[in-house]
Amino acid sequence: MFTTESLTEAESQLAHNLAISLVKEDTDVNEVGKVIAYLRSIVEQPDAGRRFFSYLKILVTNGRQIGHSSRTTSYYCNIERACNQYLQSQQGNAQAMLKILGWAMRLMRYYKVSPIEEISISESPQVEQVSERQAEIAEVFHPQKFEIDQVLDATVLGIKGNKVTYEMLETIKLTQKEPKKASFLKERQVLKVKITALKDDGSIKSVKSIE
């Protein structure tokens, strides 16, 4: 299971920098999920950190053979470059690496649907001042455990055919099929939704209106 422990200030900045770097390179978040899955499978091994970085090198070297698209190799290169830059200092602590990568993947999903121009990569892992935007993100991704059948308030952002885009907790956006209810909803309407599925990292995968 993905750990929901909170990050230290330094780890939080590393996760932020990783996410921003990967999103700006248009890296596929699913490929990040795959390297996280590998690290999770070996995290208890004494040399897990070293093995993880060796694994990244193998992915880059063999990307064309094992990739499922022409862009897969570039995704692996982006991931290796970002991890070398921001995770080398944590190589001796695989649990910390796993935690930072997991939060970085969550932030990537957020940044991919939100403008990131005003958010920059910090040169220092220590943050003396936190912007309002970063504080908002930290609030959403602070250890918050979602559960199947959990009920949340959601705002209808848009309706297209039988697809409805919801916004929850003011930052999480999901587009869901609501064939029976879409025609009865209105934009900016606030209603209750129930979580019907979660992703591997514990974030929300799908919801359904219960009103």
Side-chain angles (χ1 to χ4, degrees):
M1 292 294 292
F2 172 71
T3 178
T4 55
E5 296 178 38
S6 60
L7 303 177
T8 66
E9 187 177 4
E11 290 170 344
S12 177
Q13 192 61 61
L14 289 172
H16 161 82
N17 287 351
L18 260 172
I20 289 295
S21 176
L22 292 171
V23 170
K24 286 187 173 181
E25 295 289 342
D26 196 27
T27 306
D28 187 344
V29 69
N30 293 318
E31 297 300 337
V32 178
K34 291 176 184 177
V35 301
I36 290 175
Y38 172 77
L39 179 58
R40 185 184 297 115
S41 71
I42 64 166
V43 71
E44 300 297 336
Q45 301 298 319
D47 61 345
R50 180 191 62 78
R51 290 175 61 183
F52 174 75
F53 283 101
S54 295
Y55 174 71
L56 294 182
K57 286 184 173 64
I58 292 172
L59 289 180
V60 171
T61 302
N62 299 285
R64 290 187 177 181
Q65 287 74 35
I66 63 179
H68 52 76
S69 77
S70 59
R71 299 192 61 187
T72 303
T73 300
S74 66
Y75 295 149
Y76 293 154
C77 289
N78 296 342
I79 294 169
E80 183 192 32
R81 183 165 52 248
C83 288
N84 283 338
Q85 183 171 359
Y86 299 114
L87 288 183
Q88 280 287 357
S89 62
Q90 306 293 321
Q91 185 169 336
N93 187 344
Q95 290 285 358
M97 288 171 55
L98 182 61
K99 187 167 58 171
I100 292 166
L101 276 166
W103 283 97
M105 186 169 72
R106 289 186 176 196
L107 289 170
M108 282 181 70
R109 296 186 189 281
Y110 177 79
Y111 292 146
K112 278 182 176 292
V113 297
S114 302
I116 62 172
E117 287 77 8
E118 71 272 28
I119 302 179
S120 59
I121 294 176
S122 171
E123 296 297 329
S124 168
Q126 300 295 331
V127 182
E128 295 182 359
Q129 294 183 337
V130 179
S131 69
E132 181 178 347
R133 175 70 181 283
Q134 285 174 286
E136 175 189 75
I137 295 166
E139 179 67 24
V140 173
F141 290 102
H142 186 71
Q144 181 168 352
K145 185 175 176 61
F146 295 111
E147 297 179 353
I148 300 294
D149 293 334
Q150 181 178 347
V151 176
L152 299 172
D153 289 325
T155 301
V156 177
L157 294 184
I159 304 169
K160 188 173 182 180
N162 66 354
K163 294 183 179 180
V164 180
T165 299
Y166 295 116
E167 181 182 61
M168 294 153 289
L169 300 176
E170 298 186 350
T171 50
I172 300 175
K173 299 179 180 67
L174 286 175
T175 299
Q176 307 287 166
K177 288 185 177 180
E178 294 279 13
K180 296 181 180 180
K181 299 183 179 181
S183 61
F184 299 101
L185 299 177
K186 296 180 180 179
E187 290 190 10
R188 310 311 305 174
Q189 179 180 347
V190 178
L191 68 164
K192 300 287 185 181
V193 296
K194 180 174 67 176
I195 298 175
T196 55
L198 296 173
K199 298 174 183 176
D200 290 341
D201 64 358
S203 59
I204 301 172
K205 181 178 182 180
S206 63
V207 297
K208 182 178 181 180
S209 169
I210 57 175
E211 294 185 1

